[in-house]
Amino acid sequence: MFGWTGKILHVNLSKGKAVADTYEASMARNFLGGRGFAAKILWTELERGIDPFSPGNKLVFAAGPLTAFSLPSSGKLVVASKSPLTGGYGDGNIGTLAAVHMRKAGYDAVVVEGRAKKPTVLIVRDETAEFLESKDLWDLNSFETEKKLKSVYGPNTGILCIGQAGENLVKYATIVSQEGRSGGRPGMGAVMGSKVLKAVVFIGSHDLQAAYPKEMQELGAEAYREVLTKPNYAFWKRQGTLSTIEWSQENSVLPTYNYSEGVFQKAEAIGGFAMEKIKVSNRGCPQCNMTCGNVVKDSDRKESELDYENVAMLGSNIGLGSLKQVAALNRVADEYGLDAISLGNILGFAMEASEEGLIDEKIPWGGFKAAKTLIKDIAYRQEGLGDLLADGVYAASVGIGQNSNQWAMHVKGLEVSAYDCHTTPAMALAYGTSSIGAHHKDAWVISWEVKTGRKGYSAEKVDKVIELQRLRGGVFECLTVCRLPWIEVGLELEWYTKLMHAATGLEISWGDLNVVADRVFNLTRAFWVREFGKKWSAEMDSPPDRWFDEPLSEGPLKGTKLDRTKYDIMLQNYYRRRGWDGRGIPTKLTLSKLGLKDVAKELKGHVKLVD
Ligand code: SF4
């Protein structure tokens, strides 16, 4: 095989053993890599109903056939597991040198199971794997952990680690790399903590084998140059995703006061131009010439890397209008290894609960000090509110009761990310049907929707959501390369099929890639359905009640809210176009067409399948 290394490393922490295995070429063709490999491995190897924190759950690090080749933004890997937050399929991607070194060590994926007896660091150095006891690293934050490991293994090694939140099994703890590049929102860091695995260090020295090495080198270099020629490139380097704050404000979709509003009075103070005034540098993932991380000095005089999501969630969503203070909360979240999106969502929920008098603690809107204290309580699962909020917004609403579920903003247990959807039905559908819960990554349809008309619940919108789920959540997550060169500066999609040909030698069209994307999407859906069995229903794909029941009370779109009947009709239309039944479960025919007959066979044991 070219492009792929053809090997997966299976690590058992209970036994202190690591075994490399080869896999069939059909696995590469049918699932590509990244999310595709993760979904296939978790579907095949996990038992239904397994406790996400049990040693039997598996944590997968997976890259794709383009990862780590010299081409734009190819330094990413996917981390995946059964999620402790949602009970379903969970994953996320991280831009990290670990992706590059894992591939150069000879592996497309590493699968970790078991539980170490003592805090452990796994060192994967080419063909060898070592298990090092690391008590001295336990209770260090992610920045300190990485610094210590780099002082031993060198500044350019690939390191994935957890902070205190992962150690303490906070259900939205992430895995962190390179001071703030984190991923795995649905608790992948907590799964790593449950395995008592503090960090993984990758050191790889092999060259990747392309089918056409010269063509690969030339195409990659050309694609890098092409990125630089795009008209939006210079502005992108200045602000990265931060300009979205102003865009969201203009279009009434900026999450504000726990998603009760879409505009924030102090939006300008936390927007892209405000950020430029305090910016000290750009930071980015390896292999990338777009480096979109905006590093600023925060109110504690520490460096913090800002993007749209973390600023909106720790800013407008909690009523905080000081960008330096937002940056300080973000820095603390990264240090503890907490997902900043879920955290901002949950802080907003806690502030609303405090305002409503449903909890004793006083946590005012925009209260920086109270928020910072609460973040520490969450990371350490401090008895009481910290411990409750550490289980996620859905569990917190169950614990608090008193109708607070009305404004617990999640889908399938994953906290909604940074777009308010009172006025955007297609984006609500994207959240409703994403593979991991309410995440924007799979189908960021909102900018298209705002441009083309946000009022309707049309078939065209359904098709657009599916198209983006194929591209973003499917192809890019499997290849595994960053989608932003395409979305944000306009690197044409044809580059990726050309690069795939040079890397693998295979003639793969976009049509072929879309079939893989559908296969993977249906497999992640099957994973959810297998877990939930007869409890599964179309309600699982519904966005939060607040957007249906409470209209916006401010801004140009005041009075707007989602229409539940129309949403449900749109959802049924989505199911039909996906080849799913009225509950959102793939039919036997759909699974069979995608080469997933064996999946249908197993699913039949847990839920009635429609032909
Ligand atoms: S564009 Fe941003 S997120 Fe994508 S690879 Fe580059 S630095 Fe990472």
Side-chain angles (χ1 to χ4, degrees):
M1 261 194 294
F2 292 104
W4 294 274
T5 68
K7 276 196 292 181
I8 294 176
L9 185 69
H10 296 271
V11 176
N12 188 316
L13 288 163
S14 302
K15 295 180 180 165
K17 276 195 174 162
V19 179
D21 219 348
T22 54
Y23 59 84
E24 302 281 321
S26 60
M27 164 103 166
R29 278 171 180 259
N30 292 337
F31 295 95
L32 280 180
R35 173 179 268 184
F37 276 17
K40 172 72 176 158
I41 291 165
L42 294 175
W43 169 266
T44 310
E45 298 186 13
L46 286 188
E47 267 173 42
R48 178 200 186 207
I50 195 159
D51 176 351
F53 288 149
S54 74
N57 193 14
K58 301 200 178 188
L59 180 61
V60 181
F61 306 112
L66 293 186
T67 308
F69 277 110
S70 181
L71 57 95
S73 312
S74 67
K76 292 232 172 195
L77 56 69
V78 166
V79 293
S81 191
K82 177 174 172 182
S83 162
L85 184 65
T86 67
Y89 174 81
D91 75 14
N93 75 49
I94 312 177
T96 166
L97 272 169
V100 177
H101 279 280
M102 182 176 83
R103 290 264 288 158
K104 292 195 170 181
Y107 306 110
D108 293 322
V110 173
V111 182
V112 182
E113 67 180 303
R115 177 182 290 146
K117 287 188 185 69
K118 298 197 172 135
T120 294
V121 174
L122 170 67
I123 317 286
V124 178
R125 191 195 304 259
D126 291 336
E127 284 75 27
T128 65
E130 279 174 81
F131 299 81
L132 295 186
E133 201 182 309
S134 61
K135 265 202 238 151
D136 55 324
L137 297 180
W138 207 251
D139 201 28
L140 291 188
N141 72 41
S142 67
F143 287 53
E144 295 162 338
T145 303
E146 191 159 357
K147 201 167 158 200
K148 281 214 164 190
L149 288 169
K150 278 189 172 165
S151 71
V152 178
Y153 297 100
N156 294 318
T157 46
I159 296 168
L160 299 170
C161 67
I162 55 170
Q164 296 92 333
E167 294 173 9
N168 295 320
L169 311 186
V170 176
K171 290 187 177 174
Y172 43 98
T174 54
I175 296 172
V176 187
S177 189
Q178 294 171 220
E179 303 193 333
R181 315 208 76 72
S182 73
R185 290 191 59 209
M188 304 303 98
V191 173
M192 192 155 153
S194 75
K195 300 193 172 305
V196 203
L197 179 62
K198 181 66 179 173
V200 185
V201 178
F202 289 99
I203 307 165
S205 66
H206 302 307
D207 287 333
L208 293 171
Q209 301 299 314
Y212 303 106
K214 192 162 172 284
E215 190 185 336
M216 190 72 201
Q217 204 183 6
E218 287 170 2
L219 267 176
E222 223 182 299
Y224 274 121
R225 284 196 296 274
E226 184 68 22
V227 167
L228 300 179
T229 67
K230 300 295 181 193
N232 191 33
Y233 179 77
F235 188 64
W236 173 262
K237 286 283 279 193
R238 276 172 52 194
Q239 295 199 0
T241 55
L242 246 286
S243 60
T244 311
I245 293 280
E246 280 90 347
W247 179 86
S248 292
Q249 171 78 356
E250 274 165 31
N251 292 293
S252 299
V253 297
L254 185 65
T256 303
Y257 299 116
N258 194 28
Y259 302 86
S260 60
E261 303 295 344
V263 290
F264 180 48
Q265 268 185 349
K266 297 177 186 163
E268 208 181 314
I270 59 167
F273 293 99
M275 179 279 298
E276 282 197 70
K277 290 189 188 133
I278 57 168
K279 181 169 174 172
V280 293
S281 63
N282 278 78
R283 205 183 278 158
C285 312
Q287 316 280 99
C288 180
N289 62 348
M290 288 173 53
T291 53
C292 68
N294 298 295
V295 181
V296 301
K297 276 265 168 23
D298 68 21
S299 57
D300 295 332
R301 293 191 201 83
K302 288 183 176 174
E303 290 194 345
S304 176
E305 190 178 324
L306 299 183
D307 62 26
Y308 167 71
E309 293 286 331
N310 55 33
V311 171
M313 296 310 298
L314 296 169
S316 54
N317 197 53
I318 65 166
L320 183 58
S322 155
L323 190 57
K324 285 193 170 189
Q325 289 183 340
V326 170
L329 296 186
N330 180 59
R331 164 86 190 205
V332 175
D334 282 342
E335 286 179 348
Y336 288 134
L338 283 164
D339 176 61
I341 297 175
S342 286
L343 180 65
N345 181 312
I346 286 160
L347 291 177
F349 172 84
M351 286 172 180
E352 189 157 355
S354 173
E355 186 182 43
E356 294 290 324
L358 305 188
I359 54 175
D360 295 335
E361 292 79 355
K362 299 281 169 258
I363 317 161
W365 291 111
F368 171 66
K369 274 195 186 153
K372 207 169 166 194
T373 305
L374 188 53
I375 292 172
K376 186 172 182 193
D377 289 349
I378 291 170
Y380 280 95
R381 278 191 175 272
Q382 207 63 44
E383 205 182 326
L385 190 62
D387 191 36
L388 180 70
L389 298 179
D391 282 339
V393 80
Y394 167 68
S397 73
V398 172
I400 289 172
Q402 305 175 75
N403 216 24
S404 61
N405 62 328
Q406 173 70 19
W407 31 270
M409 303 302 287
H410 70 94
V411 175
K412 301 183 188 72
L414 181 68
E415 291 77 20
V416 173
S417 41
Y419 297 94
D420 184 87
C421 289
H422 277 92
T423 63
T424 52
M427 191 64 216
L429 180 69
Y431 277 142
T433 56
S434 155
S435 289
I436 61 168
H439 195 42
H440 59 289
K441 180 181 68 182
D442 281 4
W444 186 69
V445 70
I446 196 163
S447 71
W448 174 88
E449 184 173 31
V450 166
K451 226 185 286 165
T452 55
R454 60 174 85 193
K455 278 196 182 141
Y457 294 72
S458 64
E460 195 193 359
K461 288 196 176 186
V462 172
D463 287 342
K464 193 69 186 177
V465 169
I466 293 174
E467 178 193 325
L468 289 176
Q469 284 173 336
R470 283 184 180 133
L471 276 167
R472 294 175 54 113
V475 179
F476 281 96
E477 290 299 305
C478 292
L479 281 180
T480 301
V481 293
C482 179
R483 62 199 175 269
L484 295 184
W486 160 61
I487 297 164
E488 298 292 351
V489 303
L491 186 69
E492 294 77 5
L493 287 174
E494 293 71 48
W495 284 98
Y496 297 95
T497 38
K498 284 194 273 182
L499 287 161
M500 267 297 279
H501 177 255
T504 66
L506 303 173
E507 295 286 350
I508 299 180
S509 68
W510 269 100
D512 301 330
L513 291 174
N514 283 336
V515 172
V516 174
D518 279 349
R519 183 176 298 120
V520 174
F521 197 78
N522 276 271
L523 189 56
T524 56
R525 168 81 25 167
F527 187 98
W528 280 93
V529 174
R530 181 172 69 175
E531 289 298 328
F532 283 79
K534 295 195 174 94
K535 285 192 205 142
W536 186 270
S537 75
E539 261 178 53
M540 301 284 286
D541 291 333
S542 184
D545 288 344
R546 163 160 272 171
W547 290 335
F548 293 107
D549 299 338
E550 300 171 27
L552 293 175
S553 70
E554 283 183 23
L557 295 173
K558 187 176 166 179
T560 312
K561 61 180 176 140
L562 291 180
D563 183 308
R564 200 183 291 274
T565 308
K566 288 180 183 165
Y567 179 86
D568 288 346
I569 292 169
M570 181 166 70
L571 182 62
Q572 287 300 322
N573 193 6
Y574 173 91
Y575 289 165
R576 274 193 298 279
R577 283 166 139 78
R578 277 275 179 209
W580 296 354
D581 68 15
R583 300 162 296 171
I585 298 176
T587 63
K588 272 190 231 164
L589 182 66
T590 300
L591 292 170
S592 158
K593 274 191 198 162
L594 293 167
L596 299 174
K597 263 192 187 161
D598 53 334
V599 171
K601 207 168 153 199
E602 185 174 342
L603 217 46
K604 252 184 359 193
H606 307 293
V607 73
K608 195 170 180 308
L609 283 193
V610 169
D611 288 342

